[in-house]
Amino acid sequence: MGTKTVDENGVKTDEHKTDEVTEAAESTGAEKNAEAAEKNAEAAEKEGAETPGTKASDGTDTPEDGEDTPENADDTPVDADAEDGTGTPAGPTGVGQGAGAVVSAGLGIVSLTGSWVGTVASARESLIGQLETSSSSDVGMLIEKGYGNAWQATAMWGGVFALVALVVGVVVLARPAFGAPGRPQAPWIKSVAWAGVALGVIGLLLAVLKYTNVLLGLPSTG
């Protein structure tokens, strides 16, 4: 770059003017380059702040790949009614209610057909009656002691089994009201329980009628 000189009259020459124009152009280009660099830096900062997995310009660390974030963290709540590791639903399965229903129906059938307990009780009463009337000639007493007491013993034990069948069936049917809400009872459990209740009612009714000699009473001796 040339040195500025002034002629004797104090007027700048053409060479001096050319140097001034060149310096002005260089200073203008440097300012433009600085402004462009500053804009590029700002754009890079914004892009880095919006891109996940990178560090923002303000020094705040953003989650990187492999770190737990709310999107990939396993924070799903566990459902109490979900299936466990064996593939079976958790919570009550109704096995106890099904067993109770079957027991109720079985006891109802026993109350109608008889049991070994009733048979033994009947035979015992019959034996006691024979011992008590061994020296008696009263036919009515022989019938009452030898057969009437035995039949009443059979009816009594049949009534006991019928009553137990009735109670167990009612408990099974009422169990869902005291259990987990929203878990219905299996249809087959209801059916078997109702069968046990019905058999229990019938057996209890027949036992009462037989015990009071209303049904199949003792023959008359007169």
Side-chain angles (χ1 to χ4, degrees):
M1 182 181 299
T3 303
K4 295 181 180 180
T5 57
V6 182
D7 57 4
E8 295 177 355
N9 297 324
V11 179
K12 295 181 179 179
T13 61
D14 292 339
E15 182 179 357
H16 297 156
K17 293 179 179 181
T18 301
D19 292 339
E20 290 177 356
V21 172
T22 302
E23 290 177 358
E26 288 177 355
S27 61
T28 303
E31 291 178 356
K32 291 182 179 181
N33 292 335
E35 292 178 357
E38 184 177 356
K39 291 182 179 180
N40 293 333
E42 291 177 357
E45 290 176 357
K46 292 181 179 180
E47 183 178 1
E50 295 176 354
T51 303
T54 60
K55 294 184 178 180
S57 59
D58 58 354
T60 303
D61 293 337
T62 58
E64 297 181 355
D65 294 337
E67 294 182 359
D68 291 338
T69 61
E71 290 78 10
N72 58 19
D74 190 10
D75 294 336
T76 303
V78 179
D79 189 0
D81 296 333
E83 295 185 352
D84 54 13
T86 60
T88 57
T93 58
V95 175
Q97 299 178 26
V102 173
V103 169
S104 175
L107 292 175
I109 294 174
V110 170
S111 69
L112 296 175
T113 60
S115 64
W116 67 269
V117 178
T119 302
V120 171
S122 176
R124 183 176 180 275
E125 290 295 330
S126 178
L127 180 59
I128 293 174
Q130 292 177 5
L131 293 175
E132 291 179 352
T133 59
S134 60
S135 59
S136 177
S137 59
D138 188 355
V139 178
M141 184 176 292
L142 290 174
I143 293 176
E144 182 180 356
K145 295 292 184 181
Y147 297 96
N149 293 343
W151 292 347
Q152 287 181 347
T154 302
M156 182 187 69
W157 282 103
V160 170
F161 279 98
L163 181 61
V164 175
L166 178 61
V167 171
V168 173
V170 170
V171 170
V172 172
L173 292 175
R175 178 63 179 84
F178 302 95
R183 187 180 293 274
Q185 193 176 52
W188 72 269
I189 296 178
K190 290 183 178 180
S191 300
V192 177
W194 275 115
V197 171
L199 292 174
V201 171
I202 295 173
L204 186 60
L205 179 62
L206 293 177
V208 171
L209 293 177
K210 179 62 191 80
Y211 192 85
T212 57
N213 291 327
V214 175
L215 179 66
L216 300 175
L218 294 174
S220 176
T221 60

